[in-house]
Amino acid sequence: MFELNLLCPEERVETVSDALDALEALSVSVEDADAHTDAEQALFGEPGMPPPREGWQRSRITALFPTQEAAEEARQLLQAQDFFEGCIVQGVSVVQEQDWVRLTQSQFAPVDITPDFWIVPTWHEMPAAARRSIRLDPGLAFGTGTHPTTRMCLRWIAKHGDAAGQALGRVLDYGCGSGILAIGAAKFGATEIDAVDIDAAAVESTRQNAQANGVQVNAGLPERAQGQYQTVLANILATPLKVLAPLLSGHVAQGGHLVLAGILERQAEELQEAYAPWLQLQVSDREDGWILMTARR
């Protein structure tokens, strides 16, 4: 593999990136050329929404090509275009061979949810302190235990599960991703678990991960969710959570819990307003700018 490295002003980033796609680059990435310096710029955007800008004032564009000839041809073609004015070719370089599996694995270490409840990749030894654990490797679906929203949900499950003498009862994991919350609920005494997602890959991932952890989870598409549940979990994002307010609230049994995540601190009030006709949400946990919101019927 060979990389073509460019330096472009912000106003050229989108056009040059589109041109690289047309030249059949295997991938195109954009990063702040001044990252890790005093001139670094922060770009904040909402998850799932278009970025506020296409790049930084000084953007480094890296395009990956299968051969050096393809990278050199792309460089020559770009330099001949009027829209390339103001851009600089920093060179073509070979991508060093690496053990990508080992590199990926090195980025995922065991995660402690509580002192005795851990998420552990299969290639790691089980920590001595782990009395309960979930074996989970990164895959196609969201949820490895490293994100604050997942950790907060799992902490809530650990607190309210059978370790505290309170049954989670029948559980619905809506938007299950990898199935990590459903598996966590099973580990803490849930009596029956339905895990649903609109993504068929997530459903299959949930089934495989549940089997690998020796627990029973009923995974399927959203229509599998039927009736009321003692515990309803949804770790998605604020906008779909607002849309789903009547549906999720309707699944919460009398005396049951609703647990919502994927919410930024500044979005708390709008979520409370969206659920007010059915349930009174409150902030139950915070981590790194994210919040966990819960309600009880």
Side-chain angles (χ1 to χ4, degrees):
M1 297 291 181
F2 290 81
E3 288 181 343
L4 171 59
N5 297 291
L6 310 171
L7 190 63
C8 295
E10 179 185 334
E11 63 271 14
R12 303 292 188 191
V13 168
E14 183 175 10
T15 303
V16 171
S17 297
D18 289 345
L20 288 164
D21 283 335
L23 291 168
E24 299 184 348
L26 299 175
S27 68
V28 179
S29 61
V30 183
E31 60 185 34
D32 186 358
D34 296 314
H36 310 299
T37 72
D38 292 341
E40 181 177 6
Q41 293 179 297
L43 287 184
F44 294 104
E46 289 294 324
M49 298 294 290
R53 300 200 304 272
E54 294 297 332
W56 292 263
Q57 290 181 7
R58 284 175 13 100
S59 294
R60 180 178 294 108
I61 301 179
T62 302
L64 186 65
F65 290 91
T67 65
Q68 184 173 5
E69 291 76 15
E72 291 289 356
E73 182 180 4
R75 176 187 64 79
Q76 293 172 10
L77 289 170
L78 285 174
Q79 287 180 308
Q81 308 304 315
D82 292 340
F83 62 73
F84 200 69
E85 183 181 356
C87 300
I88 300 171
V89 175
Q90 294 187 309
V92 173
S93 58
V94 63
V95 178
Q96 297 299 319
E97 290 292 332
Q98 295 195 59
D99 184 340
W100 295 106
V101 172
R102 186 176 297 277
L103 180 63
T104 300
Q105 289 180 347
S106 71
Q107 298 171 358
F108 292 90
V111 177
D112 57 323
I113 304 303
T114 70
D116 59 0
F117 176 35
W118 290 69
I119 312 301
V120 187
T122 56
W123 55 82
H124 275 279
E125 292 291 328
M126 188 66 63
R131 292 180 56 245
R132 281 185 175 86
S133 64
I134 298 175
R135 283 288 195 179
L136 198 70
D137 296 340
L140 294 176
F142 173 82
T144 60
T146 59
H147 196 274
T149 60
T150 308
R151 288 199 299 270
M152 287 189 292
C153 287
L154 289 170
R155 280 201 296 265
W156 187 96
I157 289 170
K159 179 179 179 181
H160 292 82
D162 64 2
Q166 302 175 35
L168 296 171
R170 187 175 185 231
V171 171
L172 172 62
D173 180 2
Y174 201 97
C176 56
S178 67
I180 188 169
L181 301 186
I183 296 167
K187 297 280 185 173
F188 280 88
T191 57
E192 179 186 352
I193 306 159
D194 289 337
V196 303
D197 203 294
I198 60 173
D199 184 353
V203 172
E204 181 58 28
S205 178
T206 294
R207 287 174 178 155
Q208 292 178 4
N209 288 331
Q211 183 178 13
N213 280 275
V215 298
Q216 179 63 45
V217 172
N218 306 312
L221 298 175
E223 53 265 28
R224 172 174 280 278
Q226 298 289 329
Q228 293 190 317
Y229 299 81
Q230 188 67 19
T231 305
V232 176
L233 307 162
N235 180 15
I236 316 177
L237 287 171
T239 297
L241 285 175
K242 288 190 290 184
V243 173
L244 291 167
L247 184 148
L248 294 178
S249 299
H251 280 306
V252 181
Q254 189 65 36
H257 295 273
L258 177 65
V259 181
L260 305 180
I263 307 164
L264 296 169
E265 286 185 336
R266 58 179 173 77
Q267 296 170 324
E269 187 173 339
E270 59 188 279
L271 263 294
Q272 288 173 327
E273 291 176 358
Y275 281 80
W278 303 278
L279 295 165
Q280 303 303 306
L281 285 175
Q282 62 181 4
V283 178
S284 298
D285 202 353
R286 287 181 168 84
E287 185 176 339
D288 294 343
W290 299 89
I291 56 175
L292 184 77
M293 302 194 76
T294 63
R296 188 166 191 180
R297 186 178 294 284

